[in-house]
Amino acid sequence: MSEKRLLKPEAVQEVHLETDILIIGAGNAGCFAAIEAKRLNPNLKVTLLEKAHIDRSGCLAAGMDALNTYIKKGKTREDLVRWSRDQVGGGPLREDLTLSMAEYLNRCIEEWEEWGLPIKKDENGEYLARGKWDIAIHGESMKVILAEKVREYNCEVINKVAATSYLVDEGRVVGVTGLGVKDGKFYVVRAGATIVATGGAAGLYKPYTNDGNDCHHQIWYSPFNVGTGYAMGIRIGAEMTSFEMRWCAVRTKDFNGPIDTISVGYNAAMINGRGEKILQTHYSHLGGEAAPRFIRANAPMDEWLAGRGPTYVDTTGMTPEQVKDLKEDYLNERPTFVQFLAARGQDITREPIEVYGSDPYIVGGHTASGYWINNDRSTTVPGLFACGDVAGGVPNKFVGGCAAEGVLAAIGAVQYVAGLTDRGHIDPEAVKSEKERVYAPMVQMAEVGDGITPREMEERLQRLMDEYAGGVHQFYRTDHHRLEYALKHIKILQEQVRYLIAEDVFNLLAAHEVIDRLTVAEVLVHHLLYRAETRWPGWQTRADFPEKDEKLNCFVNSRFNPETGAIEVFTRPYEKVVD
């Protein structure tokens, strides 16, 4: 599409579609939701709206070498809740949601295997364990396998369209609008029920790998997941939970890749610059090697602060056969890590792999950040369901749990559609207003010819969050005054959104990605401000409140008030349902 055709919104071609169930995001959770919806009612029209291409989209685009949650023989759903509770330091988490997720967990994984996913087996023919809840897989093509299954069930897949906003009628969601990221067209999709499965938010913070050249998104999480699913919900007043429970993890230094493959798969301990086993030597009182995830994630950073860095995973005891197996594992998930080692000429039996903390992410598949949902995965806004990384309350669900949540969201959405007496009304004025908002950066470029580029605003946001809202360069620490500063300057950036410019569709998408990140960042800072304690060091460290406050063993939730424009923050009790 030429730039000229996009100069004015009224000249942009509109595409109007209608479906029974719309799924925003064709990643893992979205695909399982689509398949389950068609199984429950093959007569329903099920449509997936995907920003990239379903074959290689979402967090599984490059594959995986393990599934991190599977209930093995001798274990129960309640055991999974207890383990997950321990990983978040005793809570809070939604134990009711964790139990319902666990009910479908194994079914999803076993079906995936039936569809073609190779899962490794032990000598007894059981899934090969890799740690307490993990199983090892050959998962390089796991997303492709899932995409083929979606097509088999005759789901409609619309690739290369990024959702921009929900359409709301009398308080319920009746569809979405979207931007065609290749053709530049404006999409209006009317739906009986909508399931959001867009994934979490990356790129809020400056990663340590950003060297000021072109490394903005050399990050651990999918760089295409920018928090749009959260931002759309925030804008219509959906309730959000636990944004302050950020996901910060130990990652391979200068590559930003996962280390569980090494530390869990091959029992390689983290060591410091003195050669001490970090967790055994300095964190035995918190569980040592079995310490909660946030302790293990924060430990290398504390070693640096204590003058005991750099930090490593000790691979020097590995045999040549183990090194070969390790590299094969990485080829299933992060093939470029093998190239990274080769480029350095690094023999990991002689030189351990250096590790460091990642930049923080908002990702409900690992921590509990996301939409506040019910057991059927309905949100606080009628007609809208959430699953996967964008759904809150269930930390440690990972790939298998996100798939199970897709199934649960489909069950809820199918029941909701069956009970509808009408599909609601789409307001033409709301569509017109949203279209003007979406194409505004192109209008700014056409009429003024100058302004703020999406990259410039992104750089400012990432540095602001890093320095004032507990980024990796501040060793995850923040305090009240820094957070107030961050909020003030996020507001300034939001006021400057009207100066954003885009000279093509690619930059128009980038403009909306940074707008959505601003929305998520604002809510995140409000959550960090409210939790005046340090509950999960690293994930959430308040330098001015270094201790845990048991009065705050509850959920911190928020809701944007569209009438006042304010973010309202409040608490909900933590209800323990498993002893």
Side-chain angles (χ1 to χ4, degrees), residues 313-520:
V313 282
D314 188 6
T315 50
T316 57
M318 294 179 69
T319 66
E321 187 63 28
Q322 285 177 317
V323 172
K324 177 177 175 292
D325 291 344
L326 174 69
K327 290 181 177 178
E328 285 181 359
D329 288 342
Y330 270 112
L331 288 173
N332 278 308
E333 181 173 346
R334 306 278 170 143
T336 50
F337 184 63
V338 180
Q339 295 173 322
F340 174 80
L341 293 176
R344 288 184 158 198
Q346 184 173 348
D347 178 355
I348 62 173
T349 64
R350 295 175 178 272
E351 183 183 354
I353 296 173
E354 188 176 358
V355 295
Y356 200 68
S358 73
D359 46 313
Y361 307 89
I362 304 301
V363 53
H366 287 63
T367 57
S369 313
Y371 284 81
W372 184 257
I373 54 175
N374 301 305
N375 247 319
D376 64 356
R377 270 52 185 177
S378 58
T379 70
T380 55
V381 182
L384 180 63
F385 297 76
C387 57
D389 277 348
V390 80
V394 188
N396 306 303
K397 56 192 171 195
F398 304 119
V399 175
C402 289
E405 276 203 335
V407 171
L408 287 160
I411 295 170
V414 169
Q415 289 175 345
Y416 176 82
V417 169
L420 285 177
T421 56
D422 70 88
R423 294 295 176 92
H425 170 70
I426 291 182
D427 180 4
E429 286 303 312
V431 172
K432 180 172 179 286
S433 174
E434 174 63 6
K435 192 175 179 182
E436 289 173 351
R437 186 188 78 86
V438 168
Y439 293 92
M442 282 197 138
V443 173
Q444 175 73 13
M445 185 66 191
E447 295 183 350
V448 180
D450 195 12
I452 303 171
T453 67
R455 174 59 63 92
E456 288 169 342
M457 185 166 284
E458 180 184 280
E459 284 183 349
R460 176 60 186 138
L461 171 66
Q462 289 185 341
R463 195 162 69 82
L464 178 67
M465 293 296 288
D466 180 66
E467 294 175 359
Y468 296 91
V472 64
H473 295 89
Q474 300 299 318
F475 294 87
Y476 304 133
R477 286 152 172 74
T478 186
D479 57 57
H480 180 90
H481 296 294
R482 277 190 276 183
L483 291 167
E484 288 283 7
Y485 183 98
L487 266 186
K488 176 183 174 182
H489 286 262
I490 287 171
K491 282 293 184 189
I492 291 173
L493 289 173
Q494 289 173 330
E495 290 168 4
Q496 293 175 343
V497 158
R498 63 181 184 273
Y499 301 122
L500 277 171
I501 53 173
E503 57 187 9
D504 54 31
V505 176
F506 175 81
N507 278 292
L508 185 60
L509 176 65
H512 285 284
E513 289 182 335
V514 75
I515 291 169
D516 290 344
R517 285 186 173 116
L518 282 169
T519 300
V520 176

Side-chain angles (χ1 to χ4, degrees), residues 173-201:
V173 170
V174 294
V176 300
T177 54
L179 168 67
V181 301
K182 292 285 282 187
D183 58 24
K185 296 176 183 175
F186 186 65
Y187 286 74
V188 181
V189 186
R190 187 183 189 194
T194 299
I195 299 174
V196 59
T198 51

Side-chain angles (χ1 to χ4, degrees), residues 3 53 102 152 231 239 365 386 388 420 442 488 494 505 548 560:
E3 293 177 15
H53 191 286
E152 275 184 38
E239 186 174 336
L420 285 177
M442 282 197 138
K488 176 183 174 182
Q494 289 173 330
V505 176
K548 186 189 285 189
F560 172 69

Side-chain angles (χ1 to χ4, degrees), residues 44-224:
L44 288 177
K45 184 177 180 182
V46 176
T47 303
L48 295 105
L49 203 66
E50 169 55 47
K51 180 179 178 182
H53 191 286
I54 187 172
D55 282 346
R56 289 285 182 183
S57 62
C59 298
L60 303 185
M64 295 286 291
D65 67 341
L67 296 172
N68 301 115
T69 43
Y70 180 80
I71 301 174
K72 297 165 188 166
K73 283 184 178 177
K75 299 286 186 184
T76 66
R77 294 189 299 149
E78 289 75 16
D79 291 334
L80 183 68
V81 172
R82 295 185 189 98
W83 168 77
S84 188
R85 184 197 296 151
D86 288 344
Q87 297 308 306
V88 294
L93 75 161
R94 287 284 301 275
E95 299 189 5
D96 56 337
L97 298 181
T98 307
L99 284 171
S100 62
M101 177 272 290
E103 188 176 344
Y104 289 90
L105 180 60
N106 285 15
R107 189 194 96 173
C108 292
I109 293 171
E110 290 160 8
E111 282 192 326
W112 218 331
E113 183 186 30
E114 290 172 14
W115 300 338
L117 173 65
I119 300 181
K120 295 182 183 180
K121 304 288 176 55
D122 63 18
E123 61 276 11
N124 299 315
E126 303 289 340
Y127 290 159
L128 180 62
R130 201 191 78 172
K132 189 176 290 186
W133 297 94
D134 306 27
I135 56 173
I137 64 172
H138 291 292
E140 189 278 334
S141 297
M142 64 193 303
K143 186 64 205 309
V144 179
I145 292 167
L146 202 51
E148 288 178 356
K149 207 66 188 174
V150 167
R151 294 189 187 97
E152 275 184 38
Y153 275 88
N154 293 317
C155 302
E156 181 183 38
V157 181
I158 303 174
N159 291 310
K160 310 289 185 185
V161 175
T164 61
S165 284
Y166 296 121
L167 292 165
V168 179
D169 179 36
E170 296 184 347
R172 65 168 161 148
V173 170
V174 294
V176 300
T177 54
L179 168 67
V181 301
K182 292 285 282 187
D183 58 24
K185 296 176 183 175
F186 186 65
Y187 286 74
V188 181
V189 186
R190 187 183 189 194
T194 299
I195 299 174
V196 59
T198 51
L204 302 174
Y205 286 82
K206 179 181 177 182
Y208 73 82
T209 45
N210 185 345
D211 59 8
N213 293 318
D214 199 18
C215 305
H216 288 227
H217 297 294
Q218 189 193 344
I219 55 181
W220 158 75
Y221 195 55
S222 169
F224 311 109

